[in-house]
């Protein structure tokens, strides 16, 4: 549970675009924590994108992730 563990971290990374996370993200930020979201732009709720500290569009970084993965596997 991200909220109960706020004493254990400075930044939470949420890999979801679900609107249900808007309220929990707001609560976590009220505790002075950063919340970054990783998701697909078209599938991530606009309000969630608006309140997070940073949004990483998975579609935009997919080629970078794939290239880095294959560098380590090869």
């Amino acid at each position: 549970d991200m909220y109960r563990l706020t004493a254990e971290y400075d930044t939470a990374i949420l890999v979801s675009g679900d609107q249900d996370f808007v309220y929990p993200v707001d609560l976590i930020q009220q505790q002075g924590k950063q919340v970054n979201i990783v998701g697909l732009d078209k599938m991530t709720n606009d309000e969630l994108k608006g309140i997070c500290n940073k949004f990483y569009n998975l579609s935009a970084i997919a080629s970078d992730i794939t290239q880095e993965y294959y560098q380590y596997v090869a």
Side-chain angles (χ1 to χ4, degrees):
D1 183 321
M2 286 190 335
Y3 184 73
R4 285 187 283 172
L5 296 172
T6 55
E8 305 298 323
Y9 63 85
D10 295 320
T11 302
I13 308 294
L14 177 62
V15 183
S16 177
D18 196 319
Q19 180 180 1
D20 292 343
F21 285 104
V22 170
Y23 182 68
V25 166
D26 185 49
L27 285 178
I28 290 166
Q29 289 173 323
Q30 289 178 29
Q31 300 296 314
K33 305 301 178 173
Q34 303 279 314
V35 180
N36 296 340
I37 306 289
V38 177
L40 297 171
D41 189 44
K42 293 180 181 181
M43 296 182 71
T44 302
N45 176 267
D46 288 336
E47 188 176 1
L48 187 61
K49 286 190 285 190
I51 68 165
C52 70
N53 296 95
K54 185 150 184 162
F55 174 70
Y56 295 94
N57 181 0
L58 198 52
S59 296
I61 62 173
S63 64
D64 294 334
I65 295 169
T66 303
Q67 287 174 356
E68 287 182 25
Y69 171 76
Y70 285 113
Q71 285 177 351
Y72 294 110
V73 173

